[in-house]
Amino acid sequence: MANRTDPLAKNIRGTNPQNLVEKILRTKIYQNTYWKEQCFGLTAETLVDKAMELDHLGGTHGGNRKPTPFMCLVTKMLQIQPDKEIVVEFIKNPEYKYVRVLGALYLRLTGTDIDVYRYLEPLYNDYRKLRFKLNDAKFTLTHVDEFIDELLTKDYSCDVALPRIKKRLTLESIGSLEPRRSALEDDFEEEEEKDEDDQLADGLDSGDHNKDYYHGRSPTRERDRDRKRDGHRYRDRDYDRDRDYDRDYDRDRERGRDRDRERDRDRHRLRDDKDYDHERDREREGRERDRRNRDRGRKKRSHSRSRSTSRDRDERRRRHRTSSSPKRRSGEDEPKKKKEKKAMKDDGTDHPDPEIAEQNRLRASLGLKPLKL
């Protein structure tokens, strides 16, 4: 409820007045302590007291972009939408300069083109100093006329996008505004008149008055002609200044378009580079996958080949062992049998006569020689 716009407030430029402040900045203002404590329940009459307490202006500051009290009061004015007479009194306030610039910024956001030029251009004659809070929370000095020139010529002020207004030359051409007259023009005319009077007095003393008179050069006529020429010179100077501003604005806009095109080109180039790198990475991954598959198949074949080779080698060893062991055993048993037969023959125990064989065994046990019959 505290952040809603007044139900009786009218739409400004076809939208809610608070939408003239960007959503991010508006959210930070709603979360600010000054907004919650000092701006709650303010009306058009009580807001003047808070505006008189201001000692600086600015948009946001610090790492978290904290809004200034000046910006909180601007948003509060957009919320309650004070009458035009109150805003004009803010601008015409001669004592409190921050009240004046507060009303000037609000009128720049919500006022028509004619009202903006009509009420803000007289503030060019205010040269009082202002404390401006920068984005890094440091203060700098500016002046009221510099701030008004920023409102009339720039697109951003106090971190807020200013609505577009028509150029003064356009409004003059359609008759909505009269040509601007400088406040110093009267002083210039007085100085010129004084110089002309001095020259006229010197001419009268030297006799030049008669000479000028006979040549048809009246001092009054000279003064009127010089005044017209000066008026044209001032008007041409204002026109040149506006034309230079238009040229600078067009150059800045063209430069911004070139910067946007360059940024889009870089973005497309980066996107193409990313796609190319992604495609190259996928091809590299595919080659890696194929190489791993080939290595895996080679390892399987080598492993199976080694297994079959080891199996064949074991089989050959087994066959060799089975085929060679009986021969070795038979070769080992044959000497034993020969020795036994030889021993049996030497002992005589293998005699065909059982009695003699028995006697030979007894003699062998006693260590005697066998009987040889």
Side-chain angles (χ1 to χ4, degrees):
M1 295 294 293
N3 300 332
R4 287 185 179 178
T5 308
D6 189 354
L8 301 179
K10 299 179 180 179
N11 289 341
I12 303 297
R13 304 180 190 277
T15 183
N16 191 330
Q18 292 194 78
N19 292 341
L20 296 175
V21 179
E22 285 81 355
K23 180 176 178 58
I24 297 176
L25 179 57
R26 194 166 66 245
T27 304
K28 292 181 180 296
I29 291 174
Y30 293 159
Q31 296 174 355
N32 189 261
T33 305
Y34 184 87
W35 171 268
K36 295 178 181 178
E37 295 180 356
Q38 305 296 329
C39 299
F40 180 77
L42 286 181
T43 60
E45 292 78 10
T46 58
L47 188 139
V48 182
D49 300 332
K50 296 296 180 182
M52 293 168 59
E53 297 175 359
L54 292 175
D55 58 353
H56 67 277
L57 71 154
T60 58
H61 61 89
N64 56 355
R65 314 302 293 174
K66 182 179 178 181
T68 58
F70 179 82
M71 206 62 236
C72 294
L73 291 181
V74 171
T75 307
K76 192 65 181 181
M77 293 181 69
L78 293 173
Q79 182 183 8
I80 63 178
Q81 199 178 65
D83 296 334
K84 181 180 178 181
E85 292 78 9
I86 298 177
V87 179
V88 173
E89 290 299 325
F90 276 30
I91 297 174
K92 293 182 177 180
N93 192 326
E95 298 180 2
Y96 298 96
K97 51 189 176 182
Y98 292 102
V99 175
R100 171 170 284 187
V101 295
L102 180 66
L105 179 57
Y106 177 76
L107 183 65
R108 177 65 178 84
L109 292 173
T110 60
T112 60
D113 300 345
I114 300 175
D115 290 339
V116 168
Y117 285 108
R118 181 178 299 168
Y119 292 108
L120 296 190
E121 281 185 343
L123 300 184
Y124 274 128
N125 302 323
D126 193 349
Y127 307 112
R128 287 179 293 180
K129 296 180 180 179
L130 296 172
R131 297 174 71 233
F132 190 89
K133 200 164 191 178
L134 301 174
N135 294 335
D136 56 357
K138 294 182 180 180
F139 288 95
T140 185
L141 281 179
T142 185
H143 300 81
V144 177
D145 59 329
E146 293 179 0
F147 184 72
I148 298 301
D149 185 70
E150 180 180 326
L151 294 180
L152 293 178
T153 59
K154 303 295 182 181
D155 295 332
Y156 275 86
S157 181
C158 297
D159 296 335
V160 177
L162 302 176
R164 297 294 300 273
I165 58 175
K166 296 179 181 178
K167 300 184 186 310
R168 181 176 179 82
L169 289 176
T170 305
L171 297 177
E172 289 181 3
S173 63
I174 62 178
S176 300
L177 282 178
E178 297 180 356
R180 181 171 175 266
R181 181 180 175 86
S182 175
L184 301 177
E185 189 172 349
D186 296 335
D187 298 336
F188 289 149
E189 291 181 356
E190 292 178 0
E191 291 292 335
E192 291 176 357
E193 290 178 359
K194 188 182 296 184
D195 294 338
E196 290 176 357
D197 293 338
D198 295 340
Q199 292 177 2
L200 183 60
D202 295 339
L204 289 174
D205 295 339
S206 60
D208 293 338
H209 175 65
N210 295 328
K211 183 178 179 181
D212 293 338
Y213 179 79
Y214 287 115
H215 280 280
R217 295 168 62 181
S218 174
T220 305
R221 196 177 304 159
E222 287 269 346
R223 190 182 305 120
D224 295 338
R225 186 168 61 247
D226 293 340
R227 186 175 301 170
K228 289 181 181 179
R229 185 174 62 251
D230 294 337
H232 287 298
R233 186 171 66 250
Y234 295 142
R235 194 176 299 111
D236 293 339
R237 185 177 59 187
D238 294 339
Y239 176 76
D240 293 338
R241 186 185 61 184
D242 294 336
R243 185 176 58 187
D244 294 339
Y245 170 71
D246 295 340
R247 189 184 302 110
D248 295 338
Y249 176 76
D250 295 336
R251 189 185 301 111
D252 294 339
R253 184 171 60 180
E254 187 64 27
R255 197 173 298 161
R257 289 177 180 174
D258 294 340
R259 196 181 301 112
D260 293 338
R261 285 195 294 269
E262 190 68 25
R263 191 183 300 112
D264 295 337
R265 193 178 300 112
D266 294 340
R267 190 180 298 113
H268 289 303
R269 188 183 301 112
L270 289 175
R271 189 178 303 155
D272 295 338
D273 293 341
K274 288 182 179 178
D275 295 338
Y276 175 72
D277 294 339
H278 184 64
E279 186 67 24
R280 188 171 56 186
D281 293 338
R282 281 194 300 179
E283 292 179 359
R284 188 184 300 111
E285 290 177 359
R287 289 195 298 270
E288 292 285 341
R289 193 181 304 109
D290 295 339
R291 187 173 58 191
R292 286 196 298 269
N293 293 334
R294 288 196 300 270
D295 294 342
R296 193 180 296 113
R298 192 181 297 113
K299 289 180 180 178
K300 287 182 178 180
R301 288 193 298 271
S302 61
H303 183 65
S304 60
R305 191 183 300 113
S306 61
R307 288 181 58 186
S308 62
T309 305
S310 60
R311 193 181 300 111
D312 296 340
R313 190 184 300 113
D314 295 339
E315 186 67 26
R316 286 196 299 271
R317 287 178 181 176
R318 191 180 301 108
R319 291 176 182 176
H320 180 69
R321 193 179 295 116
T322 53
S323 61
S324 59
S325 58
K327 294 180 181 180
R328 190 182 299 114
R329 288 174 185 171
S330 60
E332 291 177 355
D333 294 339
E334 286 178 357
K336 290 182 180 180
K337 292 180 178 180
K338 290 181 179 179
K339 289 180 180 180
E340 290 177 357
K341 289 181 179 180
K342 185 175 182 181
M344 289 176 62
K345 290 180 180 179
D346 293 340
D347 293 342
T349 56
D350 56 346
H351 200 276
D353 190 355
E355 292 181 358
I356 295 173
E358 184 65 26
Q359 291 295 327
N360 288 335
R361 278 196 293 272
L362 289 175
R363 292 178 66 88
S365 61
L366 295 175
L368 299 176
K369 293 181 179 182
L371 296 176
K372 293 182 182 181
L373 297 178

